[in-house]
Amino acid sequence: MNRKDALSGLNVTLSRRQVLFAGLVMAAGTALTSALPAFALPVSNGSFANFMALSRLLVNHQLDEGVGLRMMAQLEQEQPALASAVSQILAIATAHNATTVEEFFPAIPEGKLKALAHTIIFGWYTGCLSPKRGVKAFAFEQALTYHTTLDVITIPSYGISGPNNWSRPNAPVAAMPRF
Amino acid sequence: MAIPSESTVVIVGTGVVGVVIAEQLLDAGIPVLMLEAGPRVPRAEIVENYRNLPLAAKGNPIECYPSRDWAPHPEPAGAGKGYLQLSGADSYAQSYVRYAGGSTWHWAGTCWRLTPADMQLHSRYGVGRDWPFEYATLEPYYARAEHKLGVCGPDDPALQWPPLRSRPYPMPALPFGPGEARFTEVVKELGYHNIPCAQARNSGMPYDDRPACCANNNCVPVCPVGAKYDAATALSRLEAKGAVIVENAVVWRVETNARNQIEAVHYYDPQKQSHRVTGKLFVLACNGLENPKLLLMSADARNPNGLANSSDQVGRNMMDHPQITMTVTLEEPYWAGVGPVVNSGIMETSQGDFRSEHAGAYFRFNNFARNRFVTFDALKKGLVGKALDEEIRRMTACTADIVAAHEILPDANNRLTLSSQKDWLGLPKPAIHYDVGDYVRRSARDYSLPIARNIAAAMGATDMAFSKQFNQSKHIMGGTIMGLDPATSVVDADCRAHDHRNLFLPGGGAMPSTACGNSTLTMVALAFKAADALVAQAREAV
């Protein structure tokens, strides 16, 4: 399949698996929009599919599309050329046949594209786009920082144990939970 | 319902001190009207405020309590920005909540008692002030306070602070999380005892119509389920007993009569309309900063330096527990964040003959989940993928904050005055000049930080960093100090103003010494003592 029409003039070839994956992303994105709050809707479905596809390549975990939509809406306000930049990074990933971030992240050129990639990762882990106090959060429970330790640490304000049921052996650091 | 313009007892403030006194009066059949400067807000709204804060703001407990224009409290943005006008060598940067329920909304629930020695600093060590009564006098009020708030604590006297008790705690101590358990083992090798913290949190059972703690690890800034006591949990019960609670009522003047007794208080509503409420007895329980501010604002011809201030001590002797935080990086995982946020402490280091030379200190392992402290640093390293996950997890597990909280002496130069700056209602903002003093600085240099370094080494720290300044513990004390001599103190042993027999100023402001442990339980004990005096005096007045 030639993605020239879909991805801003890029001319790269996708594998069958990538086509199926992209189709699933598109379908999920379409289905999701009907359930999302109105403020999250201005982004176009095609751009959103690309954004989520890139997010899943940058952050190799299960990602909540509602969070993605809200993050993308904020990013678009900051970066009018977001869609183009996303497509460029996606093309790099595709060119490397990447399925994990480690496989293509070093190839992203320093500058705006690398900064955007870091920002998207930052967003998924923190639920906001900056370490500043005054920024608007778009995720709390889904912020991935909490998921790296979810086998041990409660997401603050939620409980994972019953009354007085938190005495436990010290958990090893090496056993990363799947999320 | 029309708001009454008179009551037998008028209480300004609906924090823990105000509601405890109100309930004692109501139970004695004495009518109570309570005036609260701020709004009455449901718990769910505050929890949602917290969840919607950006990660960088989640560490500031005040940020999910936005001030109303008419009732500012200190906060980094909004109506309360710049509310406290601070000067001096150290910053008296406090945090408190002007909402119905007051600052126990965002306390940790820690309920250490004072010791007998803590109340006799002058006679034993030649520094500070003595209390006008001994521990034995205060002890029954401590017991009442613990049962009212629902304080859990250990049965074993060896684990109690201090083991001088007339009644057991109403609930058993909460279990330690893995970090506290490991910390306890490590400091024991140094000869220190990390003991369970007595705390106003339901342990393993419901209490006072509130559920058991289930380790939400969010006691500060708000317990999402009300397992931790906060005064907001008592408001409906007070109303059921007949209390009238008026929210958004900012008392700006206390009025005296020809006998120099209190005749009325005046409050502004959010439309800036003023209202007058008369009564027989008055209680100002509106925070350790707001109380002296209101007394100074109420100066009149009979009391040109402010009410209750013939001693010139109103607003002086402002105290807290100056604290230094040591952040350690460890080789082994401690996993702070399992269980409540403060669950234990080393108290024995607060006692000793050294207090003639320098302050004591109490050490605690902060049990806040570390994710919000470490995530930005991990991301700043530019890591991605598995390396990023592993770094966040490692730093969350293998870093910890150890806090050294110091006592401080009353110093008349640490003073709250009225600023020329005005708030939204046109009322003066509080100005506070503050210096922790050499007594505290010597402790940090010669005593507390050396102990902290030893603890860090025993924990196997590969790195340690100390806060660069003394931070405030938000335990506001001293501004209406207690004593037997009206020439040198503001209130008597019942927190009654020396100058106005029908005015009570209970709470942290009355405390003549701070010790090292958190002040709330002592404030509540003083509230019970004042309540007994109020009930007796109200019956005289009828």
Side-chain angles (χ1 to χ4, degrees), chain B residues 308-502:
Chain B
N309 199 22
S310 62
S311 63
D312 191 32
Q313 294 298 300
V314 169
R316 296 188 183 272
N317 309 301
M318 299 304 298
M319 297 186 283
D320 191 357
H321 294 120
Q323 62 172 249
I324 289 179
T325 300
M326 174 178 69
T327 302
V328 290
T329 304
L330 306 156
E331 289 185 333
E332 65 172 305
Y334 271 63
W335 288 116
V338 181
V341 300
V342 176
N343 201 16
S344 62
I346 303 170
M347 291 301 287
E348 60 210 350
T349 47
S350 68
Q351 308 289 300
D353 290 342
F354 61 76
R355 294 168 94 180
S356 62
E357 301 296 327
H358 63 72
Y362 131 67
F363 297 86
R364 69 169 186 266
F365 177 91
N366 259 9
N367 199 36
F368 289 83
R370 301 288 302 166
N371 302 70
R372 67 176 159 84
F373 297 99
V374 305
T375 301
F376 294 140
D377 284 342
L379 285 160
K380 206 181 292 179
K381 293 175 181 172
L383 302 172
V384 300
K386 287 179 180 169
L388 176 60
D389 292 339
E390 288 165 4
E391 182 65 353
I392 293 174
R393 185 171 170 88
R394 182 190 70 81
M395 292 175 72
T396 302
C398 301
T399 62
D401 281 350
I402 313 298
V403 175
H406 304 80
E407 64 185 330
I408 187 173
L409 299 177
D411 177 349
N413 294 315
N414 284 338
R415 186 181 186 190
L416 178 148
T417 55
L418 302 179
S419 168
S420 58
Q421 300 279 317
K422 300 291 196 293
D423 69 12
W424 185 83
L425 283 171
L427 305 176
K429 296 180 176 181
I432 304 104
H433 184 86
Y434 189 61
D435 179 347
V436 301
D438 289 340
Y439 189 70
V440 173
R441 281 191 284 268
R442 275 197 299 273
S443 178
R445 185 191 67 199
D446 301 335
Y447 182 67
S448 63
L449 295 192
I451 291 174
R453 288 190 189 95
N454 286 342
I455 291 173
M459 294 173 78
T462 56
D463 184 50
M464 68 183 88
F466 294 89
S467 51
K468 293 183 172 56
Q469 60 192 16
F470 288 100
N471 294 316
Q472 300 312 310
S473 295
K474 285 84 176 178
H475 306 153
I476 304 169
M477 293 170 279
T480 52
I481 203 160
M482 174 191 287
L484 295 177
D485 184 354
T488 58
S489 60
V490 178
V491 298
D492 67 13
D494 290 325
C495 295
R496 182 192 293 104
H498 290 303
D499 296 353
H500 316 281
R501 190 170 181 273
N502 67 339

Side-chain angles (χ1 to χ4, degrees), chain B residues 20-45:
Chain B
V20 162
I21 289 176
E23 190 153 23
Q24 298 304 297
L25 291 162
L26 293 164
D27 288 346
I30 299 164
V32 170
L33 172 68
M34 305 185 79
L35 299 171
E36 168 55 50
R40 193 163 169 180
V41 174
R43 183 173 310 275
E45 181 177 323

Side-chain angles (χ1 to χ4, degrees), chain B residues 491-541:
Chain B
V491 298
D492 67 13
D494 290 325
C495 295
R496 182 192 293 104
H498 290 303
D499 296 353
H500 316 281
R501 190 170 181 273
N502 67 339
L503 176 64
F504 287 75
L505 307 167
M511 291 173 65
S513 68
T514 66
C516 293
N518 309 44
S519 53
T520 302
L521 188 74
T522 303
M523 292 164 56
V524 178
L526 291 175
F528 272 102
K529 194 167 189 298
D532 284 358
L534 277 155
V535 168
Q537 203 163 319
R539 287 175 174 155
E540 283 174 23

Side-chain angles (χ1 to χ4, degrees), chain A residues 24 49 54-55 57 61 67-69 75 77 114 121 146 157:
Chain A
L24 285 172
L54 176 58
S55 290
L57 285 164
H61 295 296
V67 173
L69 209 47
L75 273 171
Q77 288 185 348
K114 189 63 131 309
I121 294 169
Y146 298 116
S157 79

